[in-house]
Amino acid sequence: MPYTNVTDTAILHSQVTEKESEMKYQYNDGGRKAAGFKGTAGDCGARAMAIALGLDYSAVYKELAQANADNGRAKSARNGVMKDVYTEVLKRYGFVWMKAPQFAGRKARCSDLTGVVIAKQARHFVAVIDGVANDAWDSTERMVYGYWAKQ
């Protein structure tokens, strides 16, 4: 049933506005397409790092692939990078791991983070710039376990 009175419409609008303000997203592939990479891949770590650090996607991809190989894994960043390897690489750039903030009644989301950080979600890394998730897809409804921030 559609809302017909002004009060109902105002309430609905305020609820939508509150939800939209919590969920902020900006499409950004981190330079992946411009670097000549095609199709889809589980390379969220490379995208997030390229975005947050302002680095060339290809250079980041190669660095993460080498770090994977140095840690006994496949020399590729296409199918993701483990948290320990990612932490090791980000440490070289002055980034440290931080526990996600705690809120009464809910888990942390990207919109809760300030500055330029890389958030860790369930099986996903995402660059967050002043509460706005920058990625190739919208993961704003996922909770944040923690994040890397420049020290």
Side-chain angles (χ1 to χ4, degrees):
M1 173 181 216
Y3 290 94
T4 55
N5 87 31
V6 175
T7 306
D8 289 343
T9 304
I11 291 169
L12 178 64
H13 178 70
S14 70
Q15 290 170 344
V16 169
T17 304
E18 287 174 22
K19 180 146 178 93
E20 286 174 351
S21 69
E22 291 175 17
M23 307 299 175
K24 298 176 182 175
Y25 165 73
Q26 171 66 48
Y27 176 84
N28 189 338
D29 74 350
R32 184 179 196 279
K33 184 176 181 182
F37 288 78
K38 295 180 180 169
T40 59
D43 61 345
C44 59
R47 287 193 318 269
M49 195 170 151
I51 295 164
L53 278 68
L55 299 173
D56 175 70
Y57 177 87
S58 292
V60 169
Y61 185 93
K62 288 175 186 173
E63 183 173 5
L64 290 173
Q66 187 58 55
N68 255 350
D70 293 346
N71 282 277
R73 297 180 174 99
K75 187 176 180 179
S76 173
R78 181 174 179 78
N79 296 317
V81 186
M82 299 300 287
K83 182 185 169 197
D84 60 332
V85 174
Y86 205 58
T87 299
E88 178 185 308
V89 172
L90 286 172
K91 189 182 283 187
R92 298 177 201 157
Y93 294 92
F95 278 69
V96 294
W97 174 254
M98 309 290 285
K99 189 175 175 186
Q102 302 257 335
F103 298 95
R106 72 173 177 87
K107 306 289 186 180
R109 304 266 189 239
C110 292
S111 59
D112 298 314
L113 305 176
T114 58
V116 177
V117 301
I118 298 173
K120 168 76 174 97
Q121 299 174 316
R123 298 178 49 127
H124 188 59
F125 301 129
V126 58
V128 180
I129 302 170
D130 293 325
V132 178
N134 281 254
D135 201 357
W137 60 279
D138 186 355
S139 64
T140 56
E141 292 193 20
R142 288 182 164 200
M143 72 177 222
V144 172
Y145 296 121
Y147 59 94
W148 291 270
K150 188 127 181 163
Q151 198 172 26

